[in-house]
Every structure is written in C-alpha cells, then in structure tokens.
Amino acid sequence: MSDFVDQCRREWKRLGVPRAVADDMATDLANDLADAEAEGISAEEFLGSSALDPRSFAAVWAQERGVVPRSAGGEGALRGSRGFVAFTVLASITLAVAVVLLATGEPRVSLVARRSGPGPFRLNGGASGVAEVVSASAAAPI
C-alpha cells in the first residue's frame, strides 16, 4: 500500500500542501494502513471506494484538514449550475417563442357567442340561433 501513500504525496505536492504537513499526513496514513492490516483489514476495506482513487482521497483529506482551500466547483455546485443552465435555456426558448408569436400577430383569439331557441336575445339582426364570431390578435394590445 506504499504506492497509495506515494500517490497521495504526489497529489499533496501538486496541491501545494506544505512539505511538513504532507509528511505528517503521509505518516498518519501509513500508520493507519499498517494498523488496519495488522487487524486483518485490507486497505480496500479500510479506505472504501477511496482505495481506487488516491488523488481524490488526498485532495479531500487536505481540504478537510484546511491546508488547501475547498474547491468552489464541488458536486453541489455542478448540480446547481446545470439546473441554472437548464432554466436559462428553457426561459430563453419561451421568450423567443413569445416574441415570434407576438410579432406575427399569432395566436389569434376567437370568441363565439351562440344563442339558440326562443327568447328575447337575438344575434345578427334578430335571427335566432345564429353564431356571432369576434376575432382579435393577441398582439393587438401591444
């Protein structure tokens, strides 16, 4: 497992972790791995999924210890930015469609008034049962 510790050291160096701190972290990691092995626990069991990605393990540990700043683009930030992009695209499409429809005078709005049967209400000069259609453009108020 010294390869795992060596990869962590390289990552800490790349991240700019001070050498003394990196040495301390590497010693702690090596001791923890040795203790786990002495108790019959494999490195994979001890480290979990981190055993497969020493660079991420080293970066997260350095962030948790406060020796490197937390990255602004974590999972939550990525999920938030994808949601923002999706919202912006949807809003832009909606706005573009609204502008096109209003510029072309679409949609047309029609109102149909119909009265059938006897009664005092008469449309079109008094003929009963005739429909009167009123059409307007939705862009007319603009």
Side-chain angles (χ1 to χ4, degrees):
M1 198 35 63
S2 65
D3 183 47
F4 186 86
V5 175
D6 291 340
Q7 289 181 38
C8 288
R9 279 183 182 274
R10 283 194 296 273
E11 182 63 14
W12 291 324
K13 183 177 181 180
R14 187 189 72 77
L15 292 171
V17 173
R19 184 177 175 95
V21 174
D23 288 343
D24 183 44
M25 292 170 66
T27 301
D28 287 346
L29 178 59
N31 289 338
D32 290 343
L33 290 172
D35 290 345
E37 186 178 327
E39 293 176 13
I41 300 171
S42 71
E44 289 78 19
E45 288 176 300
F46 182 72
L47 295 170
S49 62
S50 297
L52 302 175
D53 191 4
R55 291 184 63 187
S56 293
F57 174 81
V60 169
W61 192 11
Q63 290 171 0
E64 291 297 322
R65 291 219 20 195
V67 293
V68 295
R70 294 191 183 276
S71 62
E75 270 185 48
L78 183 59
R79 186 173 38 246
S81 65
R82 284 183 183 161
F84 179 71
V85 168
F87 171 77
T88 303
V89 168
L90 182 62
S92 299
I93 291 170
T94 302
L95 182 63
V97 168
V99 166
V100 168
L101 291 176
L102 290 174
T104 60
E106 294 294 333
R108 301 268 183 223
V109 178
S110 297
L111 175 66
V112 177
R114 185 183 321 242
R115 173 87 176 172
S116 60
F121 181 69
R122 307 238 183 227
L123 297 174
N124 290 339
S128 178
V130 177
E132 185 173 330
V133 178
V134 178
S135 292
S137 170
I142 295 176

